[in-house]
Amino acid sequence: MRAFRYHRPADVTEAVALLDADPEAAYLGGGTNLVDLMKLGVQRPGLLVDVTGLPLDTVEPGPDGGLRIGATVRNSDLAAHPLVRRDYPLLARALLDAASGQVRNMATTGGNLLQRTRCAYFQDTAKACNKREPGTGCAALHGQNRELAILGWSERCVATHPSDLAVALVALDAVAEVREPDGPRDVPLTELHRTPGHHPERETTLPRGALITAVRVPPLPFARRSTYLKVRDRAAFAFAVGSVAAALDLDGDVVRDVRLAYGAVAHGRGGRTGRRSCCAAGRSPPSSPPRRRTPSSPRPGRCGTTGSRCH
């Protein structure tokens, strides 16, 4: 691991200014993904800006009846929050299906949304990866890619985004509050993540230095009738082979509205869901038709090494 400097900013403004000024700086939340990548040599930041001390750790009812979730709220605290369990059960289910109790105790809301792909070729610095090193190729394209993208992929990258929480938030039409060097901005979750296209190294629509400060979930009374289903190779501590977040609005036997978002099938951006159309998060553009995954046998590996299924 490369030696690095460490700083705890006094406020959001200082944090954003530090990232904007230093191209080698990175935000540190729970560290459950970043620290692993630093140990592997995939990411080599020269400065870690620890945002966990900022006042972004509350879950509050919104003025419109929705929910505002601070970016540094721990995943375990969010899953256990009474308003989440009552009004948005698919959020609680998605969080509880992710990682282990120890990891959820560390992982933050903002960090969960901005985590990197768990593609084994991305994590292995000996393999070609356009996301890690643009222009080197994509070893996963014709390799072991059973867990990788079937929608929104390109010839340069077939990685997926691993967040369970993001899938649930897309289904709920959530919006991220973002502080950028030029000021605050709202980013719908459906527009946060990019499909790889010609630049798989660009994973989100956020500019350099941007910091997610909160996530707003709108009031959806029928979200109480919602769930999250995750298919994986083992019952715990594994990433999805496929997942779906679903909420249904019923008037007797009539379906008035339905929200669906799919996970583990793409990296980028989701389509709107609603009574007239239901789309996978990361819709496939005309240039990339649905791709068949290559079957593969389970790959042995320690946590953090090629073939790992650990968080």
Short mmCIF file of all heavy atoms in Angstrom, two decimals, residues 49 78 103 105 201 203 216 228-229 252 281 290:
data_model
loop_
_atom_site.label_atom_id
_atom_site.label_comp_id
_atom_site.label_asym_id
_atom_site.label_seq_id
_atom_site.Cartn_x
_atom_site.Cartn_y
_atom_site.Cartn_z
N VAL A 49 -9.36 12.09 2.75
CA VAL A 49 -10.15 13.11 3.42
C VAL A 49 -11.32 12.41 4.10
O VAL A 49 -12.26 11.96 3.46
CB VAL A 49 -10.65 14.16 2.41
CG1 VAL A 49 -11.50 15.22 3.13
CG2 VAL A 49 -9.47 14.82 1.70
N LEU A 78 -29.32 2.62 9.25
CA LEU A 78 -30.40 2.91 8.31
C LEU A 78 -31.37 1.74 8.21
O LEU A 78 -32.59 1.93 8.21
CB LEU A 78 -29.81 3.23 6.93
CG LEU A 78 -30.81 3.64 5.84
CD1 LEU A 78 -31.60 4.87 6.25
CD2 LEU A 78 -30.09 3.88 4.52
N VAL A 103 -19.56 -5.35 8.42
CA VAL A 103 -19.37 -4.41 7.32
C VAL A 103 -20.47 -3.35 7.34
O VAL A 103 -20.20 -2.16 7.15
CB VAL A 103 -19.36 -5.16 5.97
CG1 VAL A 103 -19.36 -4.16 4.81
CG2 VAL A 103 -18.13 -6.05 5.87
N ASN A 105 -21.96 -2.16 9.84
CA ASN A 105 -21.69 -1.24 10.94
C ASN A 105 -20.70 -0.15 10.54
O ASN A 105 -20.65 0.92 11.17
CB ASN A 105 -21.13 -2.00 12.15
CG ASN A 105 -22.19 -2.80 12.86
OD1 ASN A 105 -23.39 -2.55 12.71
ND2 ASN A 105 -21.77 -3.77 13.66
N GLU A 201 -13.76 4.31 -17.21
CA GLU A 201 -13.13 4.88 -16.01
C GLU A 201 -14.00 5.98 -15.40
O GLU A 201 -13.80 6.35 -14.24
CB GLU A 201 -11.73 5.41 -16.34
CG GLU A 201 -11.69 6.72 -17.13
CD GLU A 201 -11.90 6.55 -18.63
OE1 GLU A 201 -12.23 5.43 -19.07
OE2 GLU A 201 -11.72 7.54 -19.36
N GLU A 203 -17.24 6.62 -13.85
CA GLU A 203 -18.26 5.75 -13.29
C GLU A 203 -19.54 6.47 -12.91
O GLU A 203 -20.61 5.85 -12.82
CB GLU A 203 -17.70 4.99 -12.08
CG GLU A 203 -16.52 4.11 -12.46
CD GLU A 203 -16.03 3.26 -11.31
OE1 GLU A 203 -16.36 3.58 -10.15
OE2 GLU A 203 -15.33 2.27 -11.57
N ARG A 216 -32.52 11.99 -0.61
CA ARG A 216 -33.93 12.23 -0.31
C ARG A 216 -34.80 11.16 -0.98
O ARG A 216 -34.66 10.91 -2.18
CB ARG A 216 -34.39 13.60 -0.78
CG ARG A 216 -33.71 14.76 -0.11
CD ARG A 216 -34.49 16.06 -0.34
NE ARG A 216 -34.85 16.26 -1.73
CZ ARG A 216 -34.08 16.86 -2.64
NH1 ARG A 216 -32.88 17.30 -2.29
NH2 ARG A 216 -34.50 17.02 -3.88
N TYR A 228 -37.35 -6.40 -1.63
CA TYR A 228 -36.13 -6.53 -2.41
C TYR A 228 -35.75 -8.00 -2.44
O TYR A 228 -35.70 -8.66 -1.40
CB TYR A 228 -35.00 -5.71 -1.76
CG TYR A 228 -33.69 -5.75 -2.52
CD1 TYR A 228 -33.52 -4.99 -3.67
CD2 TYR A 228 -32.63 -6.54 -2.08
CE1 TYR A 228 -32.32 -5.01 -4.37
CE2 TYR A 228 -31.43 -6.56 -2.76
CZ TYR A 228 -31.28 -5.80 -3.91
OH TYR A 228 -30.09 -5.82 -4.60
N LEU A 229 -35.53 -8.52 -3.64
CA LEU A 229 -35.18 -9.93 -3.81
C LEU A 229 -33.79 -10.02 -4.43
O LEU A 229 -33.53 -9.39 -5.46
CB LEU A 229 -36.20 -10.63 -4.70
CG LEU A 229 -35.91 -12.11 -5.01
CD1 LEU A 229 -35.97 -12.94 -3.72
CD2 LEU A 229 -36.91 -12.64 -6.04
N GLY A 252 -57.72 -2.41 -4.92
CA GLY A 252 -58.44 -3.68 -5.07
C GLY A 252 -57.61 -4.63 -5.90
O GLY A 252 -56.46 -4.94 -5.56
N ALA A 281 -32.50 -0.86 -14.31
CA ALA A 281 -31.47 0.15 -14.03
C ALA A 281 -30.30 -0.14 -14.94
O ALA A 281 -29.73 -1.22 -14.90
CB ALA A 281 -31.05 0.07 -12.57
N PRO A 290 -28.64 -7.25 -25.31
CA PRO A 290 -28.41 -8.10 -24.14
C PRO A 290 -27.35 -9.15 -24.41
O PRO A 290 -27.36 -9.80 -25.44
CB PRO A 290 -29.79 -8.73 -23.90
CG PRO A 290 -30.75 -7.73 -24.45
CD PRO A 290 -30.06 -7.14 -25.65
#
